[in-house]
Amino acid sequence: MSFVTLQKLSKRFGDANIFADIDLAIPRGVMCVLVGPSGCGKTTLLRVVAGLTDPDSGRVLIDGQDMTRAPPQRRGIGMVFQHYALFPNLTVAQNLAFGLQQLKLPREEIRNRVRAMLDLVGLMERATVRPRVLSGGQRQRVALARALIMEPKLLLFDEPMSALDAQIRKRLREELMRLQRELGFTGLFVTHDQEEALVIGDQIAVMQEGRFLQVGTPLEVYNRPANRAVARFIGDFNVLEPPEISRVFGQESSAAWAIHPEAVRIGMDEGVTARARILAVRLLGSIVRTELQVAGVQLKCDALNRPDAVQIAVGTEVSISILPQNIRHLKD
Ligand SMILES: Nc1ncnc2c1ncn2[C@@H]1O[C@H](COP(=O)(O)OP(=O)(O)O)[C@@H](O)[C@H]1O
Ligand SMILES: [Mg+2]
């Protein structure tokens, strides 16, 4: 049985339909990522799960209990937001202790739990400083620790890393995944960043305009997008409409084709083939991305970089090929 179940949740603000008929089942211990463009309703849905916003209809079940109308503090949840709301006048350790003090736990126990948590998130050296002297990444680490120390059954994250720069975001992401593995909490993580979603999520729900387009594992969503919108949003796919397929490959198709950039191969002739012209070559970290032009259609081609890679000159004519099993046919 799933740990979190959302049933037919709908919400309107005035005339605006924010989301409708949202169903979702998150198994215990799973990190579910809600990913979609800005404004699609992610935060509102998260607030409904948290109890900060009432849904118009539908139900929120947490650990088998109907929590639809329960106040936030009764739901056993922890929350981490984009803008950390740390207490500026308290030290890091005092920030962590605060919630436990509200519960009137014995001082010894509070001290031990704060120490263990500081150790777990690598902030022991910063225990006695105030948030203002911390970096953005460290502050988010404190916010995370402050949520975790309450041992919530469910952790909700609303774009907690969006304000951080890329390198710190990557490190914090790894930290979060380690903590989730070690502590085994269930999470619902909201982001507009596809890459972050694929890395962090055990389960991904792709949201657009208040609806789920697809729910699945990262590999399912990435390799088998349910429709064009998922293919465009998640995979960075080449999406070719039937007239383009006919122009580029001389084949008739009633469905669109979605082709991963890494499935387009240069200089081989197995599968469907075409002649293409190189428009640009760019290095994306360990990937070489080549932009190609075929019959007025642009295609992206990704290959792993190698130390001995030779750059093909812009303007060169090459043959490209795609294996049939790497073409995804999309009806919607
Ligand atoms: N309290 C509110 N009153 C009216 N409209 C709102 C309110 N909160 C959010 N919205 C609208 O709901 C839509 C979804 O917002 P939100 O859930 O914040 O999306 P996201 O988090 O995906 O960016 C937006 O169009 C936003 O303007
Ligand atoms: Mg939001």
Side-chain angles (χ1 to χ4, degrees), residues 4 70 80 104 128 139 163 166 170 186 196 202 214 218 222 230 233 245-246 267 287 289 299 303 308 322 324:
V4 178
V80 185
K104 303 215 170 4
T128 58
R139 283 183 219 175
K170 219 165 156 186
T186 308
E196 185 165 273
D202 301 308
Q214 188 171 4
Y222 186 80
V230 176
F233 185 68
I245 297 167
S246 158
I287 301 276
R289 163 152 302 182
L299 291 177
D308 62 347
I322 298 137

Side-chain angles (χ1 to χ4, degrees), residues 23-315:
D23 289 311
L24 183 65
I26 310 174
R28 189 187 294 271
V30 156
M31 181 68 97
C32 176
V33 176
L34 200 57
V35 62
S38 179
C40 74
K42 304 181 297 296
T43 293
T44 309
L45 183 57
L46 203 71
R47 288 176 59 86
V48 165
V49 176
L52 299 169
T53 298
D54 279 335
D56 297 331
S57 57
R59 298 205 301 162
V60 176
L61 306 177
I62 301 174
D63 203 5
Q65 279 187 290
D66 189 336
M67 291 289 184
T68 314
R69 305 286 156 193
Q73 61 277 14
R74 272 208 39 233
R75 298 189 182 204
I77 51 172
M79 286 182 263
V80 185
F81 300 110
Q82 180 174 345
H83 295 287
Y84 22 79
L86 298 176
F87 301 114
N89 300 321
L90 301 183
T91 65
V92 168
Q94 287 164 345
N95 264 282
L96 296 197
F98 186 83
L100 300 176
Q101 286 162 345
Q102 299 300 103
L103 294 180
K104 303 215 170 4
L105 294 183
R107 285 172 73 163
E108 185 64 21
E109 184 186 342
I110 294 178
R111 207 166 28 229
N112 289 340
R113 275 170 72 172
V114 168
R115 204 173 294 140
M117 186 52 66
L118 286 169
D119 194 34
L120 190 65
V121 298
L123 280 170
M124 197 61 100
E125 267 96 81
R126 314 300 274 161
T128 58
V129 305
R130 286 180 218 289
R132 127 178 76 81
V133 307
L134 298 176
S135 67
Q138 286 174 330
R139 283 183 219 175
Q140 271 310 48
R141 210 176 271 222
V142 177
L144 178 60
R146 199 179 54 175
L148 286 174
I149 204 168
M150 304 306 288
E151 299 176 353
K153 295 193 283 187
L154 172 65
L155 263 168
L156 305 178
F157 301 87
D158 194 354
E159 312 229 9
M161 304 187 192
S162 298
L164 304 173
D165 67 45
Q167 215 166 359
I168 295 182
R169 201 159 63 211
K170 219 165 156 186
R171 217 180 307 145
L172 202 61
R173 191 193 278 176
E174 275 157 23
E175 183 83 3
L176 175 65
M177 291 188 286
R178 177 181 67 83
L179 289 167
Q180 203 239 337
R181 240 180 359 254
E182 285 177 19
L183 305 175
F185 57 81
T186 308
L188 181 56
F189 188 107
V190 160
T191 181
H192 65 269
D193 180 332
Q194 307 88 305
E195 191 198 323
E196 185 165 273
L198 291 170
V199 173
I200 289 182
D202 301 308
Q203 178 186 42
I204 295 182
V206 185
M207 193 171 183
Q208 205 170 74
E209 292 175 3
R211 290 191 184 276
F212 284 171
L213 300 178
Q214 188 171 4
V215 180
T217 65
L219 268 183
E220 281 166 356
V221 171
Y222 186 80
N223 283 343
R224 295 194 293 281
N227 51 46
R228 289 172 173 81
V230 176
R232 290 212 166 90
F233 185 68
I234 290 290
D236 203 11
F237 271 96
N238 295 297
V239 179
L240 276 73
E241 297 300 330
E244 296 173 318
I245 297 167
S246 158
R247 283 212 314 275
V248 173
F249 298 109
Q251 299 203 9
E252 300 309 314
S253 169
S254 57
W257 284 4
I259 304 161
H260 272 140
E262 57 269 34
V264 178
R265 304 182 309 166
I266 294 176
M268 285 185 250
D269 58 5
E270 249 183 299
V272 296
T273 59
R275 294 287 295 171
R277 197 165 56 82
I278 307 248
L279 285 182
V281 181
R282 303 178 199 286
L283 190 60
L284 313 175
S286 55
I287 301 276
V288 180
R289 163 152 302 182
T290 306
E291 288 165 28
L292 300 157
Q293 171 119 353
V294 197
V297 177
Q298 291 199 12
L299 291 177
K300 296 167 282 203
C301 161
D302 284 352
L304 272 181
N305 179 37
R306 291 199 322 256
D308 62 347
V310 185
Q311 183 160 336
I312 313 175
V314 169

